[in-house]
Amino acid sequence: MKKIMQTRRQVLQTLAFTGIAGAAVGKFPGMAYAADGGTLKIQFERELDSLDPGYFVGGSPPNDVNWAIMPALVLYSRDGGWTPSPHVESVVARDSTHIDFTLRKGMMWSNGFGEVTTEDVAYTYDREAVSEWKGDFVAYDHVEIKDKYSGTIVLNQPFAPFMNTTLASGTGIIICKKAVEAAGGKFTIEQPATCGPYMVTEYRQGQVLKLRPNPDWNGAKPAYANIDCLFVTEPSAAALAFEAGELDIAKISSEAYARYLKESPANSALTVAGALQYMWMGMNTDHPKLKDIRVRQAIQHAVDAASVVQGAYAGTAEQSYGVVCPGLVGRREKTGYSYDPSKAKALLDEAGVSGLKLTLRTLNNQERMLSAQIIQANLAAIGITVEIIPLDSGPFWNMGQESKGDTWKELELWIMRYGSGPDPYEPFQWFVKDQVGVWNWERWSSDEFEDLFAKGVAETDSEKRKEIYFRMQEIMEETGAYVFLTHEPEVFIHKSSLSPHFAPSGEMIVGAFNKV
Amino acid sequence: MWSYLSKRILLSVMIVFLAILALFITLHSIPGDPVSIALGPRATPEIQAEYAARMHLDKPLYHQFAIFIGNVARGDLGKDLFSNRSVLLILSEQLPFTIILAITAIGWSALIGIPLGCLSAVKPNSIVDRITGILSVGTIAIPSFLVSIWAILIFSVGLKWLPVIGAGEPGDIGDQIYHLILPAFAVGLGWVGYLARMVRASMLEVMSENYIRSAHAFGLKRRTIIFRYALKVAILPTITLIGVGFGALLSGTVFAEIIFSRPGIGKIIYNMVLARNFPVIQGAVLITIGMYVVVTLISDLLVSLLDPRVRDTL
Amino acid sequence: MSEIPFKARLIRLGSRTKKPDRTGVPFEKLILFSRNPMGVFGLILVLIVVISAVFAPIFATHNPFALDIANRLAEPSFDHFFGTDQLGRDTYTRVLYGGRVALQVAAIGVSVSLVIGLTLGMIAGYGPPWLDNILLLVFDAVRSFPTIVLALAAVALLGPSLSLVMTIVIITSIPGYARLARTSTLSLKNTEFILAGQSLGASMKRILLIHIMPNVIGPLLILAAMDVPVVVTIEAGLSFLGLGVQPPTASWGTILNEGYLIIRTTPWIVIAGGIPLILTTLGFTFLGESLRDVFDPRLRKGN
């Protein structure tokens, strides 16, 4: 680094335009040691659509922004569980249907909207329960207000995961009742009132969102005072920007990960976030072309998941055999079906199907597109022609949802990835009967599955849990609608002086970033 | 002069009108529900209802078109589907960056290309001429996105002289220029050769005209002839070229903006296309049409200022 | 010729077109052409590109769709001249087949725009003034649609596809040919042999087809030659953005896209994808330029 600085100074000295040089010195990338107390430069890989927790698209951003500027009851901890946020004095899960919380006193909303109180919590979650994200609040009943700063969240059914999946996630942030009501009940890219260690001082669409210390914040100060969030949508541009010193942390592709594992730039470190993710190819069991289970089974036998790991992920992802992630109770070591193209052809013949044409929808990033091409080739080998339909994240996450259009009817094949938490029951919650048309896009249900799900949540013996979860994944596999692919990681490269903190699904929790 | 001006402006307005009409017709001839087509698959029912009401979709087509034109004239290009900000606002934030990039690219390529062309014309078939000729065509042939990629690799990552992403801090001219160097280089490179050849061919033609020979015969110095007479005439087609080529230059800036993560019309269109944010896309198309027409108008006017003969050909 | 508008070159051509010179040595043009090293070089490049594309299956060493994941990202070798990509596909073969896509787009795109543009231009030039004015207005209006923006918007509406790319390329190219044809037609309209034909009672269609078109088509063909690089670059650019040709078909643009994403891992794919693009654009440009030099003596080098 020092060497490069000298080169640039030499370049500057030869410039006769001292005026420009003087103004520009502090701004040359690499010269500003952002990670050493200057401004931390992080990457946002998507445009910001909306910060409203009831109506946003979710993911990174807006979750990263909201966690920095808004209150929450709990945040994700570094081990994947949850921990009380800097906004509360205490949060206790009293029993399976009651969560007691006490807010800290004297936290002020911006724009003169007064203190953060229990009323805000009640207002927020009541509003969430009827918003577009109400799926996360199915178990929520109401907030009992005890006094100005404390209350209890009451659930209408036992739901131990509530903390992790709802309160700690982006849909758990708390908004200001007075401010939102004054703004008409809805808002988009600007929070009507904020209260957190940071505040947004500048937002230039497509360029940068600046986070600076909130002068009214009376809690612990985060390690990095100034954060510039640069919108860089191209992953290769982000990696190049990191190498050039213009970003302190960047999300990288699997190929880049493989390369950096062999040789990484000086003073950099790699962090794998979102390790608890499971990726599969789903099939719409209601679609006429896929109604016959033999067709689905044929497809299961035709796809070579191992080659997806090698080809699309440069060998850096673990192959998945179910939805439970490595390291958790109930993780399978193999699938019931195996890569067997001749058996696949036989099944197709048995079903009397030939010349089948299917569409395969996927997110348009590099790894997914490569996976799609591998699957396309695999299926071509058994006589199925696949058309790949790449989608941006906006349209992609709406695909199978009945509330968001008609695509759920046209869905045939798609590559999907969900994130899960540290408890093995978590992935299964998206495939229950209630979730058909919400997150169960394969549109199937099974009474045994529902039964086992309830048992699994309540069961404490790990051997018994393992059996339950094994059986549940078997049931999923038997529907023929799932081809398990990988546990796709989110990998970040960053300055070694930065210790980042991520949510299980890969969003950044900047308030918890530490200096090493 | 004024009658030419007014004729020309009227022409431009009519062209814009026609282009908008073509856009309108295209949108309405796509099979399907016009609201979903116009707003895309991600509009919520409320937005769709509001749009249908605002566009008076129940009225006959020509009435709808009148409303459409009226909106455009008033500057109402719709609202972003998600952030609810006015499309005009969003685009006007991005536009300056594209314009600056385009002007810088044309600027530096003209600064180098025109003198090169001059020189080649003045000494035809010399070494300078031949090398310029080959280099010109060479630079024309390489697509600008390839140039951008290689430029980043060499200058940003390899030598670490220049930045990879962004446009720099606003208000900090030095930083902005610093971020402008590579993209402008990539976009303008092809134009150097092109302008050089254009000027060269133009100059050669002019210099073979009789009046130039007479000037020689009168004993005027070569330099005077070149700069005071020949160049002025030879420049004219070049100006027209720049005007006409602006639309093509825009393609180059789109790629540069995407690859360099620079803000600008191109980048935002690309992002909006991916996100299916239709109102912004439509607004951007309208704005680029407008830009193009304005630029050709300016270049035509400039030419007419410098060459009275052109005015009569309208 | 990515951003250099062929439409602009027509300003040069249009004002200079005349009936070709029929006196002189036979094969004069050919001799002139062969004396022009750039032109010959261009012709050679074009031939290389065309032949390798047309006969791709013969020159190919592998099946362009065959995955060989165990062999992914291999370095160039005798087996794989340019190495392999992330799925083990042979880059050299994909590049060859990519040439087919490029030439397909160029051939169809250029020929269709030429035919339509020629027709419209002749009508504009030969027909009544009111028709001419209307057509001119339409040409200018279409010309003001910047191609890439139009392409992006169209993809948003209708989804990415090769035929969409071609349609847009055709639509935005037509005005160029049309204007050129119109100018040539205009200058021919009042010449003696046309007036003679009219006084003999020849129908408009006959005059246009038999007398005007052969004399007008020359410059258009030259424009076509110089248009090919533009068209090919547009297709490559759109595919590079992921909005053109869809997998598994390879086009130079998609190869460049894949290569750019892993450029730090291996530069070979970007090189392999970029070289044919450059060769094609260089070749056709050199060819077109020297054709113009040959057929339009006033623009030849020297005084």
Side-chain angles (χ1 to χ4, degrees):
Chain A
M1 280 286 195
K2 287 221 166 75
K3 201 164 145 199
I4 296 166
M5 282 180 75
Q6 275 162 10
T7 313
R8 284 219 196 84
R9 287 231 173 85
Q10 284 160 7
V11 169
L12 283 178
Q13 275 154 14
T14 58
L15 280 178
F17 313 109
T18 42
I20 297 178
V25 156
K27 299 286 192 265
F28 282 140
M31 286 185 123
Y33 280 108
D36 286 0
T39 304
L40 190 68
K41 293 198 194 311
I42 69 177
Q43 174 211 7
F44 276 173
E45 51 164 1
R46 270 176 27 200
E47 294 253 342
L48 183 61
D49 284 344
S50 166
L51 287 176
D52 186 334
Y55 300 93
F56 59 19
V57 170
S60 163
N63 287 354
D64 324 60
V65 179
N66 275 339
W67 281 324
I69 63 175
M70 299 299 283
L73 292 179
V74 299
L75 292 175
Y76 290 112
S77 62
R78 279 186 186 245
D79 62 16
W82 58 270
T83 175
S85 80
H87 288 86
V88 300
E89 276 188 23
S90 71
V91 173
V92 175
R94 193 203 316 158
D95 57 45
S96 56
T97 53
H98 291 81
I99 299 173
D100 297 321
F101 64 90
T102 305
L103 302 166
R104 278 196 306 107
K105 301 183 184 32
M107 299 190 296
M108 306 299 288
W109 288 111
S110 65
N111 299 333
F113 281 102
E115 265 187 287
V116 181
T117 66
T118 324
E119 260 195 56
D120 292 314
V121 180
Y123 171 77
T124 304
Y125 294 151
D126 286 343
R127 180 179 185 269
E128 285 292 297
V130 298
S131 73
E132 280 184 11
W133 284 88
K134 57 180 184 275
D136 275 12
F137 283 81
V138 165
Y140 169 82
D141 197 80
H142 69 280
V143 168
E144 213 176 84
I145 300 181
K146 283 216 217 78
D147 58 47
K148 191 171 176 197
Y149 302 107
S150 49
T152 306
I153 300 179
V154 180
L155 305 179
N156 55 31
Q157 52 186 286
F159 197 57
F162 194 71
M163 289 290 222
N164 245 12
T165 57
T166 307
L167 289 185
S169 75
T171 47
I173 62 138
I174 299 163
I175 56 184
C176 173
K177 171 175 177 180
K178 291 202 195 96
V180 173
E181 281 175 345
K186 260 195 174 189
F187 55 96
T188 54
I189 54 170
E190 230 186 280
Q191 289 279 4
T194 69
C195 172
Y198 297 98
M199 54 184 209
V200 177
T201 53
E202 203 182 326
Y203 168 59
R204 278 178 280 132
Q205 178 165 10
Q207 295 181 64
V208 68
L209 181 142
K210 294 196 181 175
L211 294 171
R212 293 291 180 270
N214 177 3
D216 296 332
W217 176 243
N218 61 358
K221 306 231 181 301
Y224 292 94
N226 305 322
I227 302 186
D228 280 356
C229 314
L230 303 177
F231 291 94
V232 185
T233 43
E234 303 292 308
S236 31
L240 290 174
F242 175 80
E243 289 189 29
E246 291 163 57
L247 280 177
D248 296 314
I249 178 170
K251 191 191 254 194
I252 57 177
S253 67
S254 297
E255 204 66 59
Y257 183 34
R259 178 165 51 88
Y260 287 137
L261 279 174
K262 285 196 224 138
E263 196 197 328
S264 50
N267 301 326
S268 71
L270 293 165
T271 298
V272 177
L276 298 175
Q277 312 198 109
Y278 49 101
M279 185 181 117
W280 75 96
M281 178 171 75
M283 307 183 222
N284 182 355
T285 57
D286 271 352
H287 195 279
K289 288 190 200 165
L290 293 163
K291 261 198 138 68
D292 189 334
I293 194 176
R294 286 169 298 191
V295 173
R296 304 200 292 270
Q297 286 169 337
I299 295 178
Q300 278 180 327
H301 286 87
V303 174
D304 184 8
S307 64
V308 169
V309 169
Q310 283 307 315
Y313 290 88
T316 58
E318 284 219 44
Q319 188 173 345
S320 71
Y321 307 98
V323 299
V324 177
C325 298
L328 300 182
V329 165
R331 202 244 162 161
R332 293 165 104 201
E333 301 290 310
K334 58 180 169 61
T335 50
Y337 58 84
S338 57
Y339 175 52
D340 192 342
S342 38
K343 179 155 180 203
K345 277 205 203 103
L347 279 164
L348 272 187
D349 290 336
E350 207 187 296
V353 163
S354 69
L356 186 58
K357 285 197 174 49
L358 292 171
T359 58
L360 174 60
R361 288 175 165 76
T362 173
L363 263 183
N364 58 2
N365 66 35
Q366 189 190 11
E367 288 87 353
R368 304 280 180 91
M369 286 299 285
L370 287 172
S371 308
Q373 289 180 61
I374 295 175
I375 295 176
Q376 184 183 47
N378 287 162
L379 292 183
I382 64 164
I384 299 180
T385 315
V386 167
E387 182 199 342
I388 300 177
I389 301 182
L391 293 166
D392 193 44
S393 56
F396 178 74
W397 290 105
N398 287 348
M399 283 194 312
Q401 303 203 27
E402 285 177 20
S403 61
K404 300 244 171 103
D406 286 335
T407 316
W408 58 273
K409 290 188 209 148
E410 300 160 7
L411 266 188
E412 293 168 24
L413 304 173
W414 68 95
I415 296 179
M416 189 42 130
R417 184 206 76 192
Y418 288 162
S420 90
D423 195 295
Y425 88 87
E426 292 201 48
F428 298 102
Q429 63 181 302
W430 310 116
F431 302 105
V432 295
K433 194 162 168 185
D434 279 339
Q435 287 288 326
V436 172
V438 184
W439 293 113
N440 178 344
W441 297 356
E442 292 81 5
R443 309 184 67 77
W444 60 277
S445 63
S446 138
D447 291 330
E448 191 192 344
F449 191 83
E450 307 285 313
D451 221 30
L452 286 172
F453 182 64
K455 284 215 191 89
V457 176
E459 180 62 65
T460 44
D461 177 55
S462 41
E463 266 310 303
K464 293 219 184 75
R465 296 191 93 198
K466 183 164 144 192
E467 277 173 33
I468 292 176
Y469 296 133
F470 262 48
R471 177 63 197 140
M472 288 179 82
Q473 287 171 97
E474 228 175 40
I475 296 177
M476 288 179 77
E477 187 184 288
E478 281 165 9
T479 66
Y482 295 89
V483 178
F484 299 113
L485 296 171
T486 71
H487 292 289
E488 188 189 63
E490 313 261 317
V491 187
F492 293 81
I493 189 169
H494 55 87
K495 295 264 189 317
S496 44
S497 55
L498 163 68
S499 168
H501 177 42
F502 300 96
S505 33
E507 303 100 333
M508 292 176 277
I509 304 180
V510 297
F513 278 12
N514 278 334
K515 297 185 187 175
V516 168
Chain B
M1 169 66 189
W2 293 112
S3 75
Y4 175 72
L5 187 69
S6 44
K7 263 198 252 175
R8 194 63 191 76
I9 292 184
L10 189 65
L11 194 66
S12 302
V13 170
M14 284 179 69
I15 292 178
V16 173
F17 185 83
L18 265 181
I20 298 182
L21 182 63
L23 187 67
F24 186 79
I25 294 179
T26 316
L27 275 181
H28 282 259
S29 30
I30 297 177
D33 164 38
V35 179
S36 343
I37 290 174
L39 293 179
R42 299 188 60 199
T44 61
E46 293 124 7
I47 297 183
Q48 287 183 331
E50 191 234 4
Y51 178 82
R54 203 157 58 93
M55 290 303 182
H56 298 270
L57 288 179
D58 45 326
K59 303 249 173 52
L61 267 186
Y62 59 84
H63 194 164
Q64 286 186 45
F65 181 60
I67 296 177
F68 188 64
I69 284 270
N71 284 342
V72 172
R74 268 182 303 140
D76 174 11
L77 293 175
K79 295 218 168 87
D80 179 304
L81 277 186
F82 312 107
S83 66
N84 222 28
R85 302 166 79 211
S86 135
V87 168
L88 188 63
L89 183 64
I90 296 178
L91 293 176
S92 51
E93 279 172 0
Q94 308 287 328
L95 192 57
F97 292 98
T98 305
I99 294 182
I100 292 177
L101 180 58
I103 292 181
T104 315
I106 295 179
W108 86 264
S109 62
L111 268 171
I112 298 194
I114 294 181
L116 261 184
C118 243
L119 214 59
S120 306
V122 160
K123 298 181 199 289
N125 294 328
S126 66
I127 301 276
V128 174
D129 186 22
R130 287 190 196 281
I131 294 184
T132 309
I134 297 184
L135 274 183
S136 311
V137 184
T139 56
I140 291 176
I142 305 183
S144 80
F145 60 90
L146 213 52
V147 177
S148 302
I149 295 172
W150 284 109
I152 288 186
L153 207 58
I154 298 175
F155 294 105
S156 302
V157 183
L159 296 170
K160 290 210 199 297
W161 282 356
L162 294 164
V164 175
I165 55 175
E169 284 298 314
D172 185 347
I173 302 281
D175 196 35
Q176 303 236 299
I177 295 180
Y178 183 55
H179 280 87
L180 201 51
I181 296 177
L182 271 189
F185 170 71
V187 174
L189 189 61
W191 277 65
V192 173
Y194 194 66
L195 286 178
R197 295 175 62 77
M198 192 71 245
V199 168
R200 178 186 174 280
S202 218
M203 286 274 290
L204 280 178
E205 239 188 83
V206 166
M207 298 213 298
S208 64
E209 296 277 342
N210 282 329
Y211 70 91
I212 296 285
R213 293 209 206 130
S214 334
H216 259 298
F218 275 128
L220 282 173
K221 273 207 268 217
R222 193 130 203 258
R223 190 174 296 181
T224 323
I225 302 178
I226 295 174
F227 285 113
R228 288 197 38 204
Y229 300 105
L231 196 56
K232 266 216 292 230
V233 177
I235 281 290
L236 294 178
T238 318
I239 297 183
T240 315
L241 218 69
I242 294 182
V244 166
F246 187 77
L249 188 75
L250 227 52
S251 306
T253 56
V254 167
F255 285 106
E257 284 166 6
I258 294 172
I259 295 178
F260 286 95
S261 266
R262 275 185 73 84
I265 295 283
K267 180 92 191 301
I268 200 142
I269 293 181
Y270 181 61
N271 285 345
M272 294 302 162
V273 165
L274 291 180
R276 300 269 197 280
N277 197 339
F278 280 33
V280 183
I281 300 174
Q282 191 178 324
V285 172
L286 289 172
I287 291 220
T288 25
I289 293 174
M291 262 204 310
Y292 180 80
V293 171
V294 165
V295 169
T296 35
L297 178 66
I298 292 180
S299 78
D300 278 355
L301 288 180
L302 219 60
V303 168
S304 77
L305 271 177
L306 298 173
D307 183 4
R309 294 175 297 170
V310 172
R311 280 181 230 147
D312 304 332
T313 62
L314 191 58
Chain C
M1 288 284 181
S2 45
E3 309 77 52
I4 312 303
F6 70 89
K7 311 159 192 161
R9 271 168 269 154
L10 65 86
I11 294 175
R12 302 296 308 154
L13 286 169
S15 51
R16 305 267 164 261
T17 321
K18 319 173 127 137
K19 276 191 67 189
D21 189 351
R22 291 196 197 277
T23 60
V25 177
F27 295 115
E28 176 193 2
K29 305 290 180 212
L30 206 59
I31 296 178
L32 272 176
F33 181 78
S34 58
R35 284 219 203 113
N36 184 338
M38 245 180 33
V40 174
F41 182 52
L43 185 61
I44 294 179
L45 285 182
V46 168
L47 284 175
I48 292 179
V49 170
V50 170
I51 291 180
S52 62
V54 168
F55 294 106
I58 301 183
F59 290 112
T61 51
H62 295 80
N63 177 342
F65 301 119
L67 304 187
D68 182 10
I69 296 190
N71 227 348
R72 72 196 297 270
L73 293 180
E75 292 283 303
S77 66
F78 264 127
D79 198 23
H80 296 281
F81 299 148
F82 280 121
T84 61
D85 67 4
Q86 287 168 289
L87 300 184
R89 295 179 290 209
D90 178 38
T91 306
Y92 164 69
T93 307
R94 294 192 91 213
V95 165
L96 280 181
Y97 277 82
R100 292 191 142 189
V101 173
L103 284 187
Q104 192 186 335
V105 172
I108 298 182
V110 166
S111 47
V112 172
S113 352
L114 190 145
V115 166
I116 299 183
L118 177 64
T119 317
L120 286 179
M122 284 201 300
I123 294 178
Y126 194 74
W130 58 268
L131 188 59
D132 183 23
N133 285 333
I134 292 182
L135 281 175
L136 258 188
L137 219 55
V138 170
F139 294 158
D140 273 346
V142 174
R143 221 172 39 144
S144 65
F145 273 73
T147 318
I148 194 103
V149 173
L150 194 61
L152 287 173
V155 165
L157 267 176
L158 302 166
S161 78
L162 187 55
S163 27
L164 192 61
V165 171
M166 286 217 267
T167 313
I168 291 172
V169 162
I170 289 174
I171 293 180
T172 46
S173 304
I174 289 178
Y177 296 100
R179 278 199 137 214
L180 192 55
R182 169 186 174 273
T183 318
S184 306
T185 310
L186 274 178
S187 59
L188 276 175
K189 189 161 136 180
N190 294 317
T191 49
E192 283 168 3
F193 77 103
I194 296 291
L195 288 173
Q198 282 173 330
S199 60
L200 282 175
S203 74
M204 172 157 135
K205 196 160 99 170
R206 184 183 159 83
I207 293 188
L208 280 178
L209 272 175
I210 305 213
H211 299 294
I212 295 197
M213 191 185 78
N215 295 317
V216 154
I217 205 165
L220 261 77
L221 287 176
I222 297 178
L223 184 62
M226 301 208 283
D227 199 15
V228 168
V230 177
V231 168
V232 168
T233 313
I234 292 178
E235 183 274 316
L238 282 174
S239 300
F240 174 74
L241 292 179
L243 303 174
V245 165
Q246 293 297 301
T249 320
S251 107
W252 295 333
T254 51
I255 294 176
L256 279 172
N257 179 358
E258 291 163 12
Y260 179 49
L261 289 174
I262 55 172
I263 198 172
R264 303 283 277 123
T265 310
T266 167
W268 287 110
I269 301 182
V270 179
I271 294 177
I275 289 184
L277 195 55
I278 297 178
L279 288 181
T280 311
T281 43
L282 266 182
F284 277 95
T285 308
F286 279 142
L287 184 63
E289 298 270 345
S290 37
L291 277 179
R292 191 187 63 192
D293 282 348
V294 161
F295 283 97
D296 210 337
R298 289 196 60 181
L299 294 177
R300 234 182 288 157
K301 290 187 195 175
N303 262 333

